[in-house]
Amino acid sequence: MSSTNPTDLPSEEELAKMSREELVKLGGKLDGVEIVEYPDPWPVKGTRAEKRAERAVALWFLIAAISGFAFVGVFLFWPHAYTAPNTEGYFAYSLFTPLLGATLGLSVLALGVGALLYTKKFIPHEVAVQQRSDGGSSELDKKTILAHLSDAGERSTIGRRSLVKASAGLGATAMGLGVGVFALGGLVRDPWAQTDTKNSLWHTGWMNEPGNNEKVFLRRATGHAHEVVLVKPEDIDAGGMETVFPFRESERDDHHALSAALKRSDNPVMLIRLRSEDARKVVKHQGQEDFNYGDYYAYTKICSHLGCPTSLYEQRTNRILCPCHQSQFDALQYAKPIFGPATRKLAQLPIAVDEETGYLYARSDFIEPVGPAFWERKS
């Protein structure tokens, strides 16, 4: 409740003529606020101590700006392609992630320290007692609160500290740019770039370059990046599932290629062996009727919703599950979605058995893009 008698309130004409200081006093009086103490942090203006404090604040904001721009530079230009240990360039590659964390973290920290230091050094630390009340805000209340806010800004002296404002703006801009690059940098990719190679959005590491007819075998991940263990049909029990990756015989002694095949995000494939009674119930997708080998079906592990790994296979129901957002796919119906946010089936990899070695291999790459949708994708 207001402690002021309604008859003591100013008229609209009087209200329009009141200064900010008068409005501040009136607003406090109306709200039952008693200012016990409102000291000026710098009663003597332009002292050396005040200037040192201002430079200290600006320094932290400048550190935030330099760190933010450094983050952008590291993200865009630092060597980030995988390099095997004990090879040339590995040390620089190993610093990529730590440098990202250090530069962005320092930018956020410095901006926060600068803001806290400014608050401590320049914002008046008032002590006030206020009686709280309920009710809506009248036009008078709105006028007086705006005056209070304006007065607080004036007393903080931020308006006349161009060095602090410039450095704070630069620091905030650099940090915001860094956060924006971090969030969007990995998404800005042209699907038409290198369209005919496995480096485009249309293909994966299972694709052979044009003119290369080398077979791409299904390889187990054993936990050792340079170990090659290929898969035969008899290696998986009925109702079982195993994650496999592409392998070419020409890569056997290439440690970089062997490691890269396991790390590439669109390479993991679920190799599922259905039980005989379940295999007889399979409904195949049009144009992909011969993609399986007997009871063996191979589907990408990259969820068509947001790209999470569909790592779970439920043998009893023949459902493939994505643990991130609970999408479920029916392995007996060309891995079409039957629950959750995913709207497209999982891409199927055509497989066969090499007659000479008995190992399973991919007859070709996926015939459709794997993973989430993008603008040019038709399915």
Side-chain angles (χ1 to χ4, degrees):
M1 298 292 295
S2 174
S3 60
T4 303
N5 191 307
T7 59
D8 297 333
L9 296 179
S11 64
E12 291 188 7
E13 183 178 353
E14 291 173 331
L15 184 63
K17 295 179 179 180
M18 293 180 73
S19 67
R20 187 190 67 209
E21 186 175 351
E22 291 173 331
L23 287 169
V24 167
K25 291 180 179 179
L26 177 60
K29 185 178 179 181
L30 290 173
D31 289 336
V33 175
E34 179 186 358
I35 299 178
V36 179
E37 187 178 4
Y38 207 162
D40 188 338
W42 304 101
V44 179
K45 310 302 179 186
T47 62
R48 291 182 179 180
E50 181 183 8
K51 292 179 179 178
R52 282 198 301 270
E54 184 174 358
R55 288 194 294 267
V57 173
L59 177 61
W60 279 107
F61 288 147
L62 184 60
I63 292 173
I66 294 173
S67 301
F69 288 126
F71 172 85
V72 175
V74 171
F75 187 88
L76 296 177
F77 305 113
W78 196 270
H80 62 274
Y82 175 76
T83 303
N86 302 319
T87 60
E88 184 180 357
Y90 174 74
F91 179 71
Y93 162 74
S94 67
L95 293 177
F96 179 67
T97 299
L99 284 175
L100 288 179
T103 52
L104 185 58
L106 181 58
S107 181
V108 175
L109 176 64
L111 198 62
V113 171
L116 290 174
L117 190 60
Y118 187 84
T119 301
K120 182 178 179 180
K121 295 291 186 180
F122 297 103
I123 302 296
H125 301 288
E126 72 171 23
V127 177
V129 178
Q130 179 181 15
Q131 299 295 326
R132 303 302 299 272
S133 61
D134 297 327
S137 298
S138 65
E139 186 64 28
L140 178 62
D141 294 329
K142 295 176 183 178
K143 288 271 189 180
T144 54
I145 190 59
L146 287 175
H148 271 287
L149 294 175
S150 177
D151 184 68
E154 180 68 22
R155 290 178 183 271
S156 72
T157 67
I158 189 66
R160 64 184 179 86
R161 301 192 185 278
S162 57
L163 178 61
V164 171
K165 289 192 294 184
S167 58
L170 183 64
T173 300
M175 190 195 74
L177 181 62
V179 172
V181 168
F182 181 75
L184 301 176
L187 303 178
V188 182
R189 187 177 176 187
D190 182 6
W192 300 107
Q194 301 175 312
T195 302
D196 296 328
T197 73
K198 59 186 178 183
N199 294 321
S200 73
L201 289 178
W202 303 101
H203 299 289
T204 71
W206 293 91
M207 174 191 177
N208 267 327
E209 298 294 344
N212 183 359
N213 296 321
E214 185 178 14
K215 287 183 178 177
V216 183
F217 291 96
L218 278 57
R219 173 194 172 195
R220 282 194 171 102
T222 63
H224 300 284
H226 305 148
E227 184 178 11
V228 177
V229 179
L230 305 183
V231 183
K232 291 184 176 181
E234 57 267 26
D235 293 338
I236 302 179
D237 295 330
M241 186 275 284
E242 184 165 359
T243 301
V244 294
F245 298 84
F247 168 76
R248 298 165 179 79
E249 192 60 41
S250 61
E251 300 172 349
R252 183 174 292 274
D253 297 321
D254 187 341
H255 289 181
H256 178 273
L258 293 176
S259 297
L262 300 178
K263 294 176 180 292
R264 178 165 171 153
S265 60
D266 56 8
N267 276 354
V269 162
M270 292 177 294
L271 178 62
I272 299 174
R273 181 180 180 182
L274 299 176
R275 293 172 296 187
S276 298
E277 60 272 23
D278 292 329
R280 290 192 288 269
K281 306 174 186 176
V282 168
V283 176
K284 299 181 179 181
H285 193 270
Q286 184 177 1
Q288 301 180 13
E289 292 85 355
D290 61 346
F291 276 25
N292 61 298
Y293 175 78
D295 298 341
Y296 296 83
Y297 291 77
Y299 296 105
T300 178
K301 286 190 73 171
I302 311 306
C303 183
S304 59
H305 174 224
L306 288 179
C308 295
T310 54
S311 303
L312 305 175
Y313 172 63
E314 191 174 66
Q315 182 188 94
R316 186 176 61 84
T317 61
N318 290 293
R319 290 190 177 186
I320 301 167
L321 296 89
C322 176
C324 291
H325 305 101
Q326 314 308 314
S327 293
Q328 298 182 20
F329 306 85
D330 190 351
L332 301 187
Q333 295 192 63
Y334 50 85
K336 75 173 185 178
I338 55 176
F339 181 83
T343 58
R344 294 182 309 281
K345 74 180 189 69
L346 299 176
Q348 184 175 357
L349 185 71
I351 58 174
V353 169
D354 180 37
E355 297 180 356
E356 296 182 3
T357 63
Y359 292 120
L360 287 162
Y361 73 97
R363 291 166 40 208
S364 71
D365 190 15
F366 298 96
I367 64 172
E368 57 190 318
V370 305
F374 50 90
W375 185 261
E376 290 84 352
R377 182 170 177 164
K378 303 300 182 184
S379 61

